[in-house]
Amino acid sequence: MNQSYVLKKAILSEKAYALMKRGVYTFLVTDQARKKEIAKSVELQFNVSVAKVRISKFAPKRKRIAKSRKTVVSGGGKKALVTLSSGQSIALLAPKAEKGKKKVKKE
């Protein structure tokens, strides 16, 4: 499989940001992608070394359109949890540094 088509996009959510602090990055990948292909693609695109790849599939969800009997299927696919070697990170996907708390003036 062509390496540029393995990774669809990065999943950026609160849970994903919590995992990023531990060096685990979450990507939406094609359904045909294998662990070795995903690891090779991440290494080539982001210049990092991959320690481990975990894959999980998630089911699509049905949504009902208001004022009609039609339903639409959305979502579904395959996601990969990529663990990087210790001390490495992907700067492009890293969460923004938290700013210091604002000082409150006492009156």
Side-chain angles (χ1 to χ4, degrees), residues 25-90:
Y25 293 84
T26 310
F27 296 97
L28 187 65
V29 296
T30 59
D31 291 334
Q32 298 83 17
R34 306 285 181 251
K35 287 184 178 183
K36 289 182 180 179
E37 294 173 347
I38 294 168
K40 188 175 180 182
S41 180
V42 170
E43 286 175 353
L44 289 174
Q45 286 188 11
F46 300 108
N47 296 323
V48 293
S49 61
V50 175
K52 182 170 60 169
V53 176
R54 292 180 294 167
I55 295 177
S56 65
K57 287 188 175 184
F58 55 99
K61 296 182 180 178
R62 293 188 175 270
K63 294 185 179 181
R64 191 177 146 273
I65 299 174
K67 298 183 182 182
S68 70
R69 295 182 179 179
K70 295 180 182 178
T71 58
V72 178
V73 177
S74 64
K78 194 176 198 179
K79 68 179 177 180
L81 296 160
V82 179
T83 305
L84 302 181
S85 298
S86 62
Q88 292 192 338
S89 65
I90 299 174

